[in-house]
Amino acid sequence: VLTVEVDPFMQSIAAEELAEFNNVTLLSIDALSGKNTLNEQLVSAIKHQLEQSSTQRLKLVANLPYNIATPLMANLMLLE
């Protein structure tokens, strides 16, 4: 599980709530770098997670702000 949270307060709550799970990676970043580009830290983390097993697939579960939904989804579909 890879989480992305830009708000430091919400990130601290997530870190506290998810501390007991060893399969969770918390990223305290903006998912986008600019208006239409994925953050490179996010891209690296996703690729790293997917490389861990040939059977892994990318699944997005999110409560996205409306202004990032389209660029985020479009860029995620282009990941190789």
Side-chain angles (χ1 to χ4, degrees):
V1 176
L2 180 62
T3 72
V4 177
E5 179 55 61
V6 69
D7 182 289
F9 179 71
M10 293 302 292
Q11 174 72 8
S12 67
I13 291 172
E16 185 177 314
E17 291 296 320
L18 300 171
E20 68 184 82
F21 299 98
N22 62 0
N23 66 333
V24 177
T25 301
L26 303 167
L27 297 179
S28 184
I29 60 171
D30 192 330
L32 295 179
S33 173
K35 188 175 180 178
N36 295 310
T37 308
L38 289 177
N39 184 312
E40 280 302 315
Q41 285 180 283
L42 176 58
V43 172
S44 293
I46 290 170
K47 287 182 177 182
H48 176 74
Q49 292 289 328
L50 291 173
E51 289 170 355
Q52 300 306 306
S53 169
S54 62
T55 60
Q56 295 235 13
R57 296 184 323 193
L58 179 62
K59 298 174 189 171
L60 176 65
V61 178
N63 181 12
L64 297 172
Y66 73 92
N67 59 328
I68 73 160
T70 299
L72 181 66
M73 296 291 292
N75 281 287
L76 287 174
M77 289 189 295
L78 296 173
L79 279 180
E80 294 180 20

